[in-house]
Amino acid sequence: MRLTLVALLLAIGQLDGSKFAQIDSLVEDAIKARQLPGAVVLIGRGNQTVYEKAYGFRATVPVEEAMTLDTVFDLASLTKVVATTTAVMTLVEQGRLRLNDPVASHLPGFERYGKGGITIRHLLTHVSGLRPDVDLGDPWNGYDAAIELARDEVPTSGPGEQFVYSDINFFVLGDIVARITGQSLDAYTRRAVFEPLGMRDTGFQPAPALLPRTAPTERCSHVDAWPCKRPDAPPLRGIVHDPTARRMGGVAGHAGLFSTARDLSRFAQALINDGRLGSARIMSVATVARMTTPSQPPGMSSVRGLGWDIDTSFSANRGDLFPIGSYGHTGFTGTSIWIDPSSKSYVIFLSSRLHPDGIGDVTALRGRVATVAAAALSGPNLRENPRVEPVVRNLREEPTAARNPVLTGIDVLAREGFARLKGKKVGLVTNHTGRAKDGKSTIDLIHGAPGVQLVALFSPEHGIRGILDTDVPSSRDDKTGLPIHSLYGATRRPTEAMLQGLDTIVIDLQDVGVRFYTYYATMGLVMEEAAKRKIAVVVLDRPNPVNGWQIEGPNLDALSDALITYHQMPVRHGMTMGELAKLLNEERKISADLTVVPAENWRRDLWYDETGLTWINPSPNMRNLNQATLYPGIGAIEYSNVSVGRGTDQPFEQLGAPWIDGPRLAAALNARRLPGIRFYPIIFTPSSSKYSGQECQGVFMIVTNRTALAPVRVGLEVAAALSTLFGDNYQLANTDRLLGSRESLERVTRGEDPAVVAATWSGAEARWRRLRAKYLLYR
């Protein structure tokens, strides 16, 4: 019957059978390029399979096993749509769950840290504001531990404000399914979805009988290990690859499902038949329509259904020809499904691209296979989906509401008429970055404020005008005649004489969000001395220019009196100066009489170029936002014997030395395929600082995706590459004082994978994230 229908479709021009042959060469070429060991491709229309083939090998170690059509695959994130979304929507249509229900109404305690407004819909569409995953550096283990970590999550943005693909969203949804049904997600989906559809090889934790035909994934030393890859370990087989799902016991809403191409074809058929396959109905017509209709907030460019991907940066597996109204999903292990309701067709691509050593990549291949499939399926029935496309178009054309302008602490203080400072004798710690939105300096504004007596000025590193790269002398302000006491000269702390006659100290400095940038430490020392003398402290807050949610890097090996090692935190701390002031005051037991004047209209996900504020170089060599973005990593290694571009027009965007071979270094770094960055060879001659007047070869860094970029990891990768390529020519000197971890540097110079070393930071990052939560001022 299947062959008869396919033959009929070919005869009437509904299929172009010659195009299917192109899939063979695409997949076989990718296997030769070691992008994957093998794959199963299944293409269907209606209830019929029109193309089905197995390629290459299911396993290559310890022995080769040929791929078969009935191979069972670790579906990874296809779990989100095949199991979790389906389960959630069955509960919605039963009235047991509503899309607008607060998550906390089903998961008590989830409302912590401002998460009370997150709804089921926000989780399904990845706009909850939660991070991509929980931290794996801490030695947590168990299902309940993961749920508790979700309760403790601090949102990076408000619900509905930003699309961030998050595994946390879906393991929370899986837990809610279990709480409502009284069954595990595994048991409920088996009863409500897989058994009715005849998906006999689909489920969590494959039975022993399925293991011989289950595709193994990556080599892994232990089921709880992370990172997983170990060259001497056997591959995982029948154990979920995702480390969070493994720690949760193998059943989780974001990953853990195993299945075959033929089982998934039955699931796809049910969806294109509006929830029904044969006599079995798993969802109503209305439920399927609601699930696959765009559901993201108005104005958001990433188009998502409920659970399902429609048109986002994750939609490469749609290919180039399936219409926007189609929908699908991918899995990290190399899996994909794409469904087009208008042509009643679907493409299933299953591989274990991580086998055996975690280096495969099928991103482009999945899209190419889908494109060929769409072309082969083309005919009178392949049209844009009229039900969905107008909705998508309208959502995209709807203008984003104009954001209110960001106001810094000095703007707020001035709008209040400086009421907080009336009758006070004020000392001001500031520099050239202390400016209001209209360009007036904080010095001039406070000096001219009625009822406020500005008595003295204090300057941090780089001086009151931010132009010095040496110790800063005390001086006098030309315009106001006030003394300028240097806090980066003979002393780093304000002395008794400097503080004489003051009852309030105001601090207004633009930080760059990095532990070894000294302004926050200067603030801490000022607070310490002020507290001793019962002098009040007022911090005028400003945005963190590189956003307030991304945290990265190791803790310090040890604290010291130096400004760069003042307080224990990761390199990139994700806080504003005002938030840091609150944290330091409490955690260091400074007990200052502290007031923070928050910025207005700033959100944690905003970068400086999204604030509307004018960029003013916080220091002489911090000249633009790109440099600030790279600084946490490139600045972290500048104590080594490389130039980081000081004495050139583009510091921290380039690095080099006379002994470096630029093309070799660029090739080695690009081969690492680091997210969000590319490198190209360059020659430059610094006019000052390290290697002044000497020609240096090196690399220039292009940030291609600043959100994906992990700059501290980039610094570690550069150090590793320099050590590997140039040996003893590269000298680390006191680099550990900036990066904070001597062990991390020693491990990469011994040849260990920088990715593995960077992964060890996640424990410190997690502890910092939890510690800072109670001091955050912004969503």
Side-chain angles (χ1 to χ4, degrees):
M1 178 64 183
R2 182 173 67 191
L3 293 176
T4 302
L5 179 59
V6 172
L8 176 62
L9 291 172
L10 288 167
I12 64 176
Q14 295 289 304
L15 291 177
D16 185 349
S18 64
K19 292 189 179 296
F20 285 129
Q22 297 172 15
I23 295 175
D24 291 353
S25 59
L26 288 173
V27 178
E28 288 163 0
D29 287 349
I31 292 172
K32 290 176 184 176
R34 300 188 65 187
Q35 294 171 356
L36 72 167
V40 174
V41 177
L42 191 154
I43 301 167
R45 170 174 283 174
N47 293 335
Q48 300 297 319
T49 297
V50 298
Y51 184 82
E52 183 182 29
K53 190 166 183 178
Y55 300 87
F57 294 96
R58 174 164 59 216
T60 59
V61 295
V63 296
E64 290 184 344
E65 300 174 29
M67 185 67 74
T68 59
L69 293 175
D70 63 352
T71 294
V72 177
F73 291 87
D74 178 345
L75 297 186
S77 284
L78 290 192
T79 304
K80 293 180 173 73
V81 289
V82 177
T84 308
T85 298
T86 307
V88 167
M89 295 308 293
T90 63
L91 297 177
V92 168
E93 74 172 30
Q94 294 167 20
R96 302 167 75 184
L97 181 65
R98 301 199 66 184
L99 295 176
N100 289 330
D101 281 351
V103 174
S105 67
H106 300 283
L107 180 58
F110 185 80
E111 67 278 5
R112 295 174 196 163
Y113 308 130
K115 300 194 298 295
I118 298 175
T119 66
I120 300 299
R121 185 201 309 268
H122 291 137
L123 298 182
L124 285 166
T125 53
H126 294 288
V127 295
S128 66
L130 301 181
R131 295 179 299 142
D133 200 359
V134 294
D135 295 291
L136 291 163
D138 277 353
W140 66 269
N141 197 42
Y143 184 94
D144 292 340
I147 300 305
E148 190 59 29
L149 287 173
R151 288 188 174 103
D152 280 341
E153 272 294 302
V154 179
T156 62
S157 61
E161 292 179 357
Q162 186 179 17
F163 170 73
V164 176
Y165 182 85
S166 172
D167 286 349
I168 303 174
N169 290 336
F170 272 77
F171 76 64
V172 168
L173 284 169
D175 184 68
I176 289 172
V177 170
R179 288 171 185 268
I180 292 174
T181 64
Q183 303 174 62
S184 69
L185 179 66
D186 182 17
Y188 180 73
T189 51
R190 183 170 60 250
R191 179 184 63 79
V193 182
F194 306 142
E195 288 180 354
L197 295 180
M199 298 170 66
R200 296 182 177 85
D201 292 336
T202 300
F204 296 84
Q205 300 170 316
L210 294 179
L211 295 184
R213 55 185 173 97
T214 298
T217 55
E218 199 171 357
R219 301 178 191 266
C220 196
S221 60
H222 189 268
V223 293
D224 295 326
W226 183 83
C228 193
K229 184 164 50 181
R230 295 291 187 276
D232 58 343
L236 293 173
R237 190 163 204 159
I239 298 171
V240 60
H241 175 269
D242 180 87
T244 300
R246 280 206 311 279
R247 291 190 181 188
M248 293 178 70
V251 178
H254 70 289
L257 194 67
F258 287 75
S259 189
T260 65
R262 287 177 177 173
D263 270 11
L264 290 180
S265 74
R266 299 184 68 81
F267 181 78
Q269 290 168 35
L271 293 189
I272 61 177
N273 290 325
D274 295 322
R276 183 171 182 169
L277 182 63
S279 60
R281 176 172 290 283
I282 59 169
M283 285 184 285
S284 69
V285 175
T287 301
V288 174
R290 180 68 186 86
M291 180 176 69
T292 57
T293 296
S295 299
Q296 74 285 349
M300 188 169 286
S301 60
S302 295
V303 183
R304 303 281 302 195
L306 297 175
W308 290 91
D309 191 10
I310 295 175
D311 188 28
T312 71
S313 58
F314 294 87
S315 305
N317 62 317
R318 186 182 67 233
D320 298 321
L321 298 181
F322 278 122
I324 295 295
S326 56
Y327 55 89
H329 213 281
T330 59
F332 183 76
T333 51
T335 59
S336 169
I337 185 170
W338 203 266
I339 300 170
D340 178 32
S342 63
S343 64
K344 292 190 175 296
S345 59
Y346 52 90
V347 179
I348 296 164
F349 178 97
L350 299 181
S351 74
S352 187
R353 60 104 181 168
L354 297 170
H355 180 74
D357 296 316
I359 59 174
D361 186 354
V362 296
T363 304
L365 177 61
R366 289 183 298 204
R368 290 171 181 150
V369 168
T371 297
V372 172
L377 292 163
S378 62
N381 288 331
L382 191 60
R383 294 289 185 267
E384 289 188 345
N385 185 343
R387 174 176 64 84
V388 175
E389 180 60 21
V391 179
V392 175
R393 187 178 296 115
N394 289 341
L395 285 171
R396 285 177 163 176
E397 292 174 356
E398 183 174 337
T400 302
R403 290 194 181 107
N404 293 323
V406 172
L407 300 178
T408 64
I410 183 59
D411 295 312
V412 175
L413 187 71
R415 188 185 63 198
E416 296 172 350
F418 300 92
R420 303 173 196 245
L421 302 181
K422 287 290 176 66
K424 304 296 185 182
K425 294 179 180 179
V426 175
L428 175 61
V429 184
T430 192
N431 59 12
H432 62 299
T433 65
R435 290 190 174 273
K437 197 170 181 67
D438 62 6
K440 294 178 181 177
S441 75
T442 303
I443 297 173
D444 291 343
L445 287 169
I446 294 180
H447 186 255
V452 180
Q453 185 178 352
L454 183 58
V455 176
L457 304 175
F458 297 81
S459 64
E461 185 181 5
H462 307 299
I464 204 83
R465 294 176 184 83
I467 59 174
L468 300 177
D469 256 340
T470 59
D471 279 359
V472 177
S474 294
S475 60
R476 191 165 291 275
D477 182 54
D478 293 337
K479 186 171 183 179
T480 64
L482 294 171
I484 304 173
H485 301 300
S486 172
L487 300 178
Y488 200 81
T491 179
R492 299 296 195 255
R493 295 173 176 269
T495 64
E496 179 73 31
M498 293 176 182
L499 298 172
Q500 191 69 38
L502 302 181
D503 53 36
T504 301
I505 292 182
V506 176
I507 301 171
D508 188 11
L509 295 167
Q510 177 62 63
D511 189 47
V512 298
V514 177
R515 181 188 66 218
F516 48 77
Y517 204 73
T518 61
Y519 293 168
Y520 93 92
T522 294
M523 175 180 68
L525 294 176
V526 169
M527 290 168 57
E528 289 179 18
E529 297 305 315
K532 294 174 185 177
R533 297 164 177 83
K534 306 301 182 185
I535 298 173
V537 177
V538 177
V539 176
L540 306 180
D541 209 9
R542 292 181 173 273
N544 184 325
V546 293
N547 79 51
W549 67 275
Q550 290 181 293
I551 293 168
E552 188 193 7
N555 268 340
L556 288 164
D557 287 337
L559 301 178
S560 74
D561 291 336
L563 298 181
I564 60 173
T565 54
Y566 175 68
H567 193 71
Q568 190 66 271
M569 65 180 79
V571 173
R572 189 175 178 187
H573 53 66
M575 299 183 79
T576 66
M577 286 283 278
E579 292 171 333
L580 282 168
K582 292 179 61 182
L583 182 145
L584 295 174
N585 200 38
E586 181 72 22
E587 298 299 324
R588 295 179 71 91
K589 301 188 184 331
I590 295 174
S591 301
D593 178 7
L594 175 66
T595 299
V596 175
V597 182
E600 287 188 0
N601 304 320
W602 186 71
R603 300 196 317 263
R604 308 208 73 81
D605 63 311
L606 293 183
W607 294 71
Y608 201 85
D609 59 343
E610 298 171 310
T611 65
L613 297 172
T614 301
W615 178 270
I616 300 172
N617 298 346
S619 54
N621 287 285
M622 195 65 60
R623 302 174 188 174
N624 59 51
L625 183 55
N626 283 339
Q627 292 168 12
T629 302
L630 290 162
Y631 179 69
I634 305 308
I637 61 171
E638 73 165 312
Y639 278 6
S640 66
N641 62 329
V642 293
S643 166
V644 294
R646 292 183 186 270
T648 74
D649 291 335
Q650 293 174 299
F652 303 112
E653 293 180 276
Q654 57 189 359
L655 61 86
W659 44 269
I660 289 176
D661 181 331
R664 282 184 71 200
L665 180 59
L669 290 169
N670 284 327
R672 295 290 293 170
R673 300 174 68 180
L674 302 176
I677 192 168
R678 293 287 292 173
F679 305 83
Y680 64 80
I682 193 173
I683 297 174
F684 62 88
T685 303
S687 61
S688 61
S689 192
K690 204 172 293 180
Y691 300 122
S692 177
Q694 299 182 57
E695 183 177 272
C696 297
Q697 284 195 42
V699 293
F700 194 90
M701 290 159 280
I702 304 172
V703 177
T704 58
N705 184 333
R706 64 189 182 186
T707 302
L709 179 72
V712 187
R713 158 88 183 277
V714 169
L716 194 69
E717 291 276 357
V718 171
L722 290 172
S723 180
T724 299
L725 295 175
F726 307 110
D728 292 340
N729 284 319
Y730 182 52
Q731 299 168 12
L732 286 167
N734 293 317
T735 297
D736 58 295
R737 296 187 67 208
L738 295 173
L739 180 66
S741 170
R742 179 180 293 274
E743 180 188 11
S744 293
L745 293 166
E746 290 177 346
R747 288 177 64 179
V748 297
T749 55
R750 290 197 303 262
E752 291 191 45
D753 187 341
V756 174
V757 176
T760 64
W761 304 337
S762 63
E765 293 163 351
R767 289 187 290 274
W768 174 254
R769 187 172 283 109
R770 291 195 292 271
L771 174 68
R772 73 175 192 142
K774 58 186 173 182
Y775 303 109
L776 300 182
L777 296 169
Y778 311 94
R779 294 174 58 189

